[in-house]
Amino acid sequence: MRGFWAALPTEGRWLLSTVVITTFGRGLTLPFTIIYLSEVRGFDLGFSGLLMSLIAVTGLIVTAPSGALTDRFGARAVLLASLVSMIAGCTLLAYATHPLTATIAVCLIGVNFGASWPANNALIAHVVDGELRQRYFGVNFALVNLGIGFGGIIGGLFIDVADPFTFTLIFLIDAVSCFVPIALLLGPLRRVHTVPAPVEGEGPAASVGYLHLLRQPAVRWMTLLSFLAVFVGYGQFEAGFPAYARGVAEVSTQTIGFAFAVNTAVIVLLQFTVLNRIAGHRRTRVLIVMALIWTVSWMLLGTAGLLPGSWAAVAGVLAFTGVFAFGETLMQPSIPAIVNDLADDRSRGRANAVNSASFQAGAILGPVVAGLLLDHGLSGIYIAVMVAGCLGVAVLALVLERRLPAHANGVPAAAAASPAAE
């Protein structure tokens, strides 16, 4: 870690130093938003669920324009606008007693979610390059989980459904936490410009449109791989997994809560070791290993469903989240590094927007499929679909490898130039 920190440029250190603080506020509110809407503000559960999905839908809608704006005006400008939207949304939601107010609030939060991903990744990729970029994305992911996990623990201990002010306070804290990155962008990072400077005697550098990006086979296969990985991964982890664990494996809500803590702990503890192990290896091969690890995790969860209400079921549920987290530590450094190494400063905002859209589409479709299968008692088919999806990710990674330039696949320059690499 000391060597990694020493190798980072000053701007990279500034960016990384505030991740835990920023995500702590998000961790305070994310696990409890639907509880707040339904049990504190009195909205019915169906409408509360619709509001939660509206965050993802709004994010998906604004992702493409945000990528284009990032390429045109720079990542800083888009990030600042998205943070202002988040502050407004959290503040409004803290006092939302009317459905319309809550709807506007979650849409503002969704704008932040959709705009911040392509802009933030573009900013990171501009500041950090080479092999260091992959390590940065991995460390950033570990710190995001640390901040969200710590926020979730504190929120769980602090909030009280009988006292609405406790919920108001955590949303206000979430809003205040956004001022930290704003200060960073207006202060130490104010001179970071992600838009390429025009060459003397030429006009501004022409941006690369979405159609141009999607004509590249590597981009198309990468987008499909990301979608399927999220569909069987994060799209299930926050919806299908808890529903299966509670309704099929019949474990307690305390077990499910502890399972999420296990997931965060494994990521934080293993990410640095994993980064050392995968350095210099083909990223597509790393993704194949991730897919196989996730296959094992879903089999463990399926085993838990065969022994409902038992200690073996509890062990299976906890093992699922731990093994799944191991796969996450392989995925999170690899996919953003591939996406950003395929792009340049003219197209990085759009490239990250395409990848963000595939992530969000998988996260939206995943819970729908899980709900349909589990609601009809098709738990065995549900596990089979997840296992097949994981194996599909491995196949897509093999297909992608044949279309991916060596530098984007993390192959060292010397190895890429050798006859064996060819």
Side-chain angles (χ1 to χ4, degrees), residues 385-399:
V385 168
M386 294 305 110
V387 169
C390 291
L391 296 176
V393 171
V395 172
L396 288 175
L398 282 173
V399 175

Side-chain angles (χ1 to χ4, degrees), residues 204-386:
S207 61
V208 176
Y210 283 109
L211 287 178
H212 177 83
L213 278 175
L214 293 173
R215 287 192 188 104
Q216 302 176 37
V219 172
R220 293 200 301 270
W221 286 105
M222 185 71 247
T223 302
L224 183 58
L225 187 152
S226 296
F227 166 77
L228 186 57
V230 174
F231 173 78
V232 299
Y234 296 117
Q236 306 302 326
F237 196 69
E238 296 181 3
F241 157 65
Y244 185 95
R246 190 80 180 108
V248 181
E250 297 180 8
V251 301
S252 66
T253 53
Q254 289 81 3
T255 298
I256 296 173
F258 190 63
F260 277 94
V262 168
N263 178 264
T264 299
V266 169
I267 290 170
V268 173
L269 292 174
L270 288 187
Q271 186 67 83
F272 299 102
T273 302
V274 168
L275 286 170
N276 288 331
R277 295 292 185 182
I278 67 176
H281 292 279
R282 294 177 187 271
R283 292 162 182 163
T284 48
R285 305 292 172 87
V286 173
L287 291 173
I288 291 170
V289 174
M290 175 216 75
L292 296 178
I293 289 171
W294 276 5
T295 300
V296 172
S297 72
W298 282 110
M299 289 179 174
L300 287 169
L301 187 63
T303 303
L306 298 175
L307 303 164
S310 66
W311 282 107
V314 171
V317 167
L318 296 179
F320 165 78
T321 56
V323 175
F324 184 88
F326 181 29
E328 289 180 82
T329 64
L330 296 167
M331 172 184 172
Q332 287 296 339
S334 303
I335 289 182
I338 291 174
V339 170
N340 283 281
D341 283 352
L342 278 173
D344 56 26
D345 285 341
R346 297 179 305 143
S347 62
R348 191 158 282 127
R350 288 177 172 86
N352 281 288
V354 169
N355 190 246
S356 173
S358 68
F359 264 64
Q360 293 179 68
I364 292 170
L365 185 61
V368 174
V369 172
L372 288 173
L373 292 176
L374 295 176
D375 190 46
H376 288 82
L378 303 174
S379 58
I381 294 178
Y382 171 70
I383 295 295
V385 168
M386 294 305 110

Side-chain angles (χ1 to χ4, degrees), residues 9-170:
T10 303
E11 294 85 355
R13 296 179 190 176
W14 275 113
L15 275 173
L16 207 58
S17 64
T18 60
V19 170
V20 174
I21 300 171
T22 306
T23 54
F24 171 76
R26 190 165 296 177
L28 277 176
T29 58
L30 272 180
F32 311 110
T33 302
I34 194 164
I35 297 173
Y36 167 71
L37 293 169
S38 60
E39 297 187 33
V40 177
R41 293 309 181 193
F43 304 138
D44 66 70
L45 195 57
F47 180 69
S48 299
L50 182 63
L51 289 175
M52 293 298 293
S53 66
L54 193 56
I55 295 176
V57 172
T58 304
L60 184 59
I61 291 171
V62 305
T63 294
S66 298
L69 290 171
T70 297
D71 288 335
R72 181 167 180 80
F73 298 107
R76 281 181 63 254
V78 174
L79 274 176
L80 285 169
S82 72
L83 288 165
V84 170
S85 180
M86 186 67 174
I87 292 170
C90 287
T91 304
L92 200 59
L93 195 58
Y95 299 100
T97 56
H98 190 277
L100 179 59
T101 308
T103 301
I104 295 172
V106 298
C107 285
L108 288 169
I109 293 172
V111 168
N112 169 264
F113 284 8
S116 61
W117 185 330
N120 189 58
N121 278 5
L123 186 65
I124 291 171
H126 180 80
V127 170
V128 185
D129 59 11
E131 178 62 29
L132 203 60
R133 182 180 290 165
Q134 176 172 289
R135 296 179 64 84
Y136 186 101
F137 280 119
V139 174
N140 184 74
F141 176 64
L143 294 178
V144 165
N145 275 272
L146 182 62
I148 290 178
F150 185 54
I153 292 170
I154 299 300
L157 295 173
F158 174 72
I159 60 171
D160 183 358
V161 175
D163 184 4
F165 178 72
T166 58
F167 284 87
T168 298
L169 188 58
I170 62 171

